[in-house]
Amino acid sequence: MKNKAIDNFSDIFDFNREKVIEIKNLDLYYGEFKALKNISMDVKNKEITALIGPSGCGKSTLLKTLNRMNDLVEGCKVEGSITIGGADIYSEKTDLAALRKNVGMVFQKPNPFPMSVYDNITYGPKTFGIKNRQILDEIVERSLKQAAMWEELKDRLNKSALGLSGGQQQRLCIARALSVDPQILLMDEPTSALDPISTGKIEELCEELKKDVTIVMVTHNMQQAARISDKTGFFLLGDLVEFGATDDIFTNPKDERTERYITGRFG
C-alpha cells in the first residue's frame, strides 16, 4: 500500500521502467585508488539483486553510489553514468533529497535513533513536511506492517527503540526506510550481525517487499544470495567479474574465478 501523503517525485524518476537502475562504464576513485573499474549492469524493477564477493572488493562502494552517499567521502570521484528511473543521478540538476527519498538504505549494523519507535518511523515523513497526526499514525502502522512488526510493536510505540532486540532494531530500520515510500531499497549486509531466526525473518520480509520495491543487497552469505535473489553480481578487486540470473551464477558460472569463490576455494 503506497503512502499518498508523500510525493514520490515521479516527475523526476520513472519507476515503471523495466530497467530501474542502469550503470554504464562506472569508475570510482578514492583519491588515486581506483575502487570500481568499468562497472556496467542493469537492475530490473521489483527484483532482488545480490552483490557478493570478498571484503574490500567494491560491493558496498557500488551500493553507496546509487544514492550518492559516496559524495560524503573526501576525494571521491565518479566517472561513467548511473541512471535511476531514467534520470542521470550524477547530473547537477539531481535533487539529492528526492533521490535519497526514493532510494532508501539499510546498513549492516542496526542504527535506530535514540527515541521512541513512533518517532523513529515518523522522522522521515516529518522532514518532508507531514505534520498531521492522523497521517503520521497511518504511516507508522503501514510501515510496521510492511516490516512484519505491527503486532510486535503496536503496544510499544512510545517505548525507546534502543530497548528492542538486534533483529527487531534492524526490522525497525527497514520500517523507517519504508516510511517515506521508497521505490528502491539498498541493503548493506543487513543480516550479518543477526542470529539465524532474525536473519530468516528479514529474508522473508525482503521476498514480500519485492512486490512493491526493488532491492539491491550486499551480502557475504552466499546461501542467502542463492535463497532470495533474482540476480547476482560477483565482485573481485573492484571488477564485476560476472552478473546474471542467480541460478546460473551458482550452478553454471561462466568465469573460473566465480566458481572458485562460490565453492569456497578462495575469499
Side-chain angles (χ1 to χ4, degrees):
M1 186 174 72
K2 293 297 182 184
N3 172 25
K4 300 300 184 187
I6 299 178
D7 179 79
N8 68 2
F9 301 92
S10 57
D11 56 331
I12 302 172
F13 304 107
D14 173 13
F15 287 107
N16 294 315
R17 302 164 70 98
E18 182 187 17
K19 296 177 181 178
V20 71
I21 301 173
E22 297 173 85
I23 303 169
K24 289 188 173 62
N25 307 122
L26 179 71
D27 294 322
L28 183 140
Y29 298 84
Y30 293 129
E32 297 298 313
F33 175 66
K34 193 172 187 179
L36 293 175
K37 305 168 186 173
N38 198 32
I39 306 297
S40 293
M41 61 182 279
D42 297 330
V43 174
K44 288 192 175 180
N45 207 355
K46 296 182 175 56
E47 286 192 346
I48 299 176
T49 298
L51 308 180
I52 64 171
S55 296
C57 65
K59 308 182 301 294
S60 295
T61 295
L62 178 67
L63 204 67
K64 290 172 185 172
T65 65
L66 301 179
N67 66 353
R68 289 185 51 178
M69 282 195 64
N70 282 321
D71 287 14
L72 306 173
V73 180
E74 188 175 350
C76 180
K77 181 177 71 170
V78 174
E79 297 174 350
S81 73
I82 301 177
T83 60
I84 290 182
D88 176 3
I89 66 167
Y90 279 87
S91 163
E92 293 179 359
K93 299 176 183 177
T94 297
D95 182 332
L96 281 181
L99 174 65
R100 290 173 181 156
K101 177 253 165 239
N102 279 292
V103 185
M105 185 127 188
V106 176
F107 296 92
Q108 179 175 359
K109 185 178 177 182
N111 62 338
F113 301 143
M115 53 182 68
S116 71
V117 169
Y118 186 95
D119 288 341
N120 263 271
I121 296 173
T122 57
Y123 185 89
K126 285 177 179 176
T127 64
F128 283 97
I130 296 178
K131 307 297 183 193
N132 183 292
R133 178 75 185 205
Q134 182 181 347
I135 293 174
L136 291 171
D137 288 350
E138 290 171 357
I139 289 172
V140 169
E141 182 172 349
R142 173 187 62 84
S143 300
L144 286 173
K145 283 181 175 176
Q146 280 186 293
M149 295 192 79
W150 175 246
E151 292 302 322
E152 286 175 65
L153 296 185
K154 65 182 180 182
D155 298 321
R156 300 176 62 181
L157 298 179
N158 295 317
K159 303 283 188 182
S160 171
L162 301 182
L164 302 178
S165 71
Q168 287 176 319
Q169 287 186 10
Q170 190 66 304
R171 284 186 289 142
L172 176 65
C173 291
I174 293 172
R176 186 177 67 195
L178 295 172
S179 69
V180 293
D181 196 21
Q183 306 298 305
I184 298 168
L185 199 55
L186 310 177
M187 307 181 92
D188 194 356
E189 296 189 59
T191 63
S192 65
L194 304 181
D195 61 87
I197 292 174
S198 297
T199 295
K201 287 183 177 179
I202 289 190
E203 289 181 6
E204 289 172 12
L205 173 57
C206 289
E207 295 200 70
E208 185 66 24
L209 286 176
K210 80 168 185 178
K211 295 174 184 176
D212 297 309
V213 181
T214 303
I215 297 174
V216 184
M217 176 188 291
V218 168
T219 180
H220 276 294
N221 184 332
M222 285 186 285
Q223 291 78 19
Q224 181 173 76
R227 280 193 297 267
I228 69 170
S229 70
D230 301 287
K231 300 284 193 324
T232 296
F234 170 55
F235 283 77
L236 187 63
L237 300 174
D239 288 310
L240 178 58
V241 173
E242 192 165 347
F243 179 69
T246 295
D247 287 347
D248 293 340
I249 295 290
F250 281 93
T251 62
N252 189 29
K254 294 182 173 62
D255 193 290
E256 181 187 354
R257 293 168 294 175
T258 311
E259 183 179 12
R260 288 173 60 204
Y261 183 74
I262 63 175
T263 56
R265 284 185 281 159
F266 78 88

